[in-house]
Amino acid sequence: MVVSLDLSDREKRATLSAAASQPMDENKAQLIGLTREEMRLALIEIGVPEKQAKMRTSQIWHWLYVRGVSDFAAMANISKVLRAQLDEGFSIGRPEIVEEQISKDGTRKWLMRFPPRGAGNPVEVETVYIPEENRGTLCISSQVGCTLTCTFCHTGTQRMVRNLTSEEILAQLLVAKDHLGDFPDRDTPQGAISPDRPRLVSNIVMMGMGEPLYNFENVKSALLIASDPEGISLSKRRITLSTSGVVPGIFRTGDEIGVALAISLHAVNDELRDELVPINKKYPLKELLDACRNYPGVNNARRITFEYVMLKGVNDSLKDAKELAQLLKGIPAKINLIPFNPWPGSVHECSDWDQIEKFADFINACGYASPIRRPRGEDIMAACGQLKSESEKMRARERLALAAMVSGHGEE
Ligand code: SAH
Ligand code: SF4
């Protein structure tokens, strides 16, 4: 279902061109999501002469990531014969859009269905676009479901189905760009990037469904492609990876991907964090904060974001605020306060607005930037922590067990 509101001409054209995109073909190999070298080797495998493979890779890269085409037939500078050969071997199509919802505040959410990879069923994933005055942020999922069970998170109630491939992670970005008309150069003869047209997707956050550091290699490939200067070319400073605290993946994120880091902190002592963010039992606060201190490239201009969900009567006292400021001493940090977004069956309540402001003021006075994240897209369940697909619903028995666990303060 496509909800059509009052769309601009550009959006209408985009909707038409998105509708004309080719579907993903599960029986063919993927090209999207491969590194340049992997793509070169894949081309050689289907018979492209070795001497040409590098040049063909550059051409295809441009069509895929600058022009955003989903059909080899559109690749005008490649011979018909080779196009047919490519089409036989590879799919560069888009996932099915099961639903597109547009919030009254302009936030959009797409439910995408990816065909099975090998054995297994198709999976569904949610991706959210949040337009703001000076930027547009796309919130991308890394897994279907999550192995972790943070008590305040809707995704945490969905059992883990599988990791997304690098193709599926990137496809979320390509679909959003298709639907927003953010491949403005698709139809120009030279495919030149027009500086006068601002990008609609200017930022990416890996804050959708799943824990990105439990799918490191695929997330890495996708983000390196999204930031490749000859393709989508998003600045790494405008890409943020959020983790619940998978310590071994933190250094690698800075070292091998080089994007900005966000930590889902949510509690200032191990006792409470063990309960709210159970991975804390494996990687307690001290280890987590040491990893942050050693994050490659961190400095006052490139600070780490600490996300802190405001839960009424749980973590929102001024004592918590004081301990938070002390805990982060010495780490170039900003603190993002997230009003808790409820979901059906959630056990927490959002802190009172007045308390959130007092908390923010206190932290601010300690010298930390502490913006309060305005909830977006609540009417379409697109806000932080509300994402969940139906790919595999939790069984009633598991839901009851989880509810018991939560009310029993997180004992496993
Ligand atoms: N798994 C990663 C990334 C996805 S969650 C992580 O945990 O960091 C993205 C952010 O939304 C995290 O900071 C998470 O703690 C927060 N979040 C989850 N559920 C929420 C809810 N119901 N209300 C507000 N924020 C929530
Ligand atoms: Fe998983 Fe992040 Fe949700 Fe925790 S907050 S359950 S890590 S998606």
Side-chain angles (χ1 to χ4, degrees):
M1 179 189 70
V2 175
V3 179
S4 58
L5 294 181
D6 208 8
L7 301 178
S8 69
D9 274 358
R10 178 173 171 175
E11 283 176 308
K12 278 184 196 143
R13 275 203 312 277
T15 303
L16 284 177
S17 101
S21 64
Q22 293 295 306
M24 265 182 180
D25 184 340
E26 64 203 84
N27 300 311
K28 295 181 184 172
Q30 65 189 69
L31 267 196
I32 287 174
L34 299 187
T35 63
R36 272 206 178 73
E37 180 56 10
E38 286 166 345
M39 195 185 287
R40 193 182 72 83
L41 295 173
L43 295 183
I44 293 171
E45 210 151 280
I46 62 151
V48 172
E50 241 184 288
K51 275 192 295 187
Q52 281 186 20
K54 195 166 170 214
M55 182 262 292
R56 295 297 183 202
T57 299
S58 294
Q59 287 174 324
I60 295 171
W61 197 269
H62 177 86
W63 285 109
L64 293 180
Y65 300 125
V66 177
R67 305 283 196 108
V69 307
S70 62
D71 188 353
F72 290 108
M75 300 188 176
N77 56 357
I78 294 179
S79 74
K80 254 192 171 158
V81 176
L82 179 53
R83 279 179 346 215
Q85 213 175 333
L86 289 167
D87 194 38
E88 213 164 282
F90 303 112
S91 162
I92 53 169
R94 301 287 191 252
E96 181 190 341
I97 305 301
V98 182
E99 190 172 32
E100 176 177 17
Q101 287 176 283
I102 305 179
S103 157
K104 56 184 189 298
D105 70 12
T107 300
R108 290 183 185 218
K109 184 168 85 168
W110 295 275
L111 178 65
M112 305 182 194
R113 180 178 293 146
F114 293 100
R117 284 282 167 219
N121 297 318
V123 291
E124 292 181 350
V125 165
E126 292 188 316
T127 307
V128 177
Y129 175 69
I130 307 144
E132 284 170 293
E133 210 168 293
N134 305 316
R135 63 178 171 188
T137 303
L138 191 69
C139 179
I140 294 183
S141 296
S142 55
Q143 299 182 310
V144 185
C146 188
T147 53
L148 304 173
T149 51
C150 304
T151 57
F152 47 83
C153 174
H154 202 195
T155 312
T157 66
Q158 182 184 1
R159 51 158 62 201
M160 169 69 174
V161 179
R162 69 166 170 84
N163 279 337
L164 292 173
T165 64
S166 56
E167 178 195 28
E168 291 163 340
I169 295 168
L170 263 181
Q172 297 172 61
L173 173 58
L174 300 177
V175 164
K177 286 171 76 73
D178 284 345
H179 281 252
L180 295 164
D182 201 26
F183 282 116
D185 310 300
R186 179 179 283 169
D187 306 319
T188 61
Q190 277 79 35
I193 294 172
S194 325
D196 54 327
R197 277 191 286 197
R199 283 165 182 271
L200 295 178
V201 180
S202 62
N203 294 56
I204 296 180
V205 290
M206 293 302 301
M207 293 186 187
M209 295 161 59
E211 169 49 59
L213 295 188
Y214 278 155
N215 186 13
F216 188 85
E217 294 301 335
N218 292 338
V219 167
K220 172 180 164 181
S221 300
L223 295 184
L224 290 179
I225 292 173
S227 56
D228 185 286
E230 278 154 39
I232 302 166
S233 74
L234 279 169
S235 156
K236 288 186 179 179
R237 287 170 182 245
R238 290 176 171 269
I239 302 178
T240 302
L241 184 150
S242 172
T243 177
S244 56
V246 182
V247 165
I250 290 180
F251 187 86
R252 290 189 66 196
T253 300
D255 191 40
E256 298 176 34
I257 317 180
V259 294
L261 180 70
I263 300 284
S264 294
L265 191 66
H266 309 315
V268 290
N269 57 63
D270 282 322
E271 198 190 348
L272 181 60
R273 197 162 189 273
D274 280 352
E275 184 188 320
L276 297 179
V277 188
I279 198 184
N280 193 68
K281 291 180 196 157
K282 195 162 182 192
Y283 305 113
L285 277 170
K286 185 178 172 321
E287 280 179 42
L288 177 61
L289 296 175
D290 279 349
C292 291
R293 281 190 191 91
N294 295 321
Y295 191 66
V298 67
N299 58 42
N300 276 331
R302 300 194 69 184
R303 286 176 291 170
I304 295 174
T305 302
F306 288 87
E307 297 161 279
Y308 196 92
V309 62
M310 298 298 295
L311 304 172
K312 187 173 186 167
V314 175
N315 65 355
D316 63 350
S317 70
L318 289 186
K319 184 169 170 281
D320 290 306
K322 194 170 165 196
E323 286 176 24
L324 179 57
Q326 272 163 4
L327 197 66
L328 299 184
K329 236 183 207 152
I331 303 177
K334 57 185 169 218
I335 297 162
N336 210 328
L337 298 178
I338 317 175
F340 169 66
N341 293 308
W343 35 272
S346 56
V347 290
H348 296 290
E349 266 181 82
C350 182
S351 308
D352 295 331
W353 197 254
D354 191 43
Q355 186 61 19
I356 299 179
E357 283 186 337
K358 276 192 198 142
F359 196 100
D361 288 346
F362 186 93
I363 296 181
N364 225 301
C366 298
Y368 293 96
S370 52
I372 302 171
R373 194 183 289 170
R374 215 157 35 96
R376 298 289 304 262
E378 281 176 300
D379 53 332
I380 57 167
M381 286 284 286
C384 293
Q386 292 184 317
L387 304 188
K388 177 179 178 180
S389 74
E390 302 285 316
S391 275
E392 182 137 10
K393 280 190 189 156
M394 199 176 225
R395 293 191 198 110
R397 200 160 31 87
E398 291 170 308
R399 199 183 293 278
L400 284 176
L402 181 79
M405 191 181 105
V406 169
S407 57
H409 297 287
E411 292 305 318
E412 276 184 339

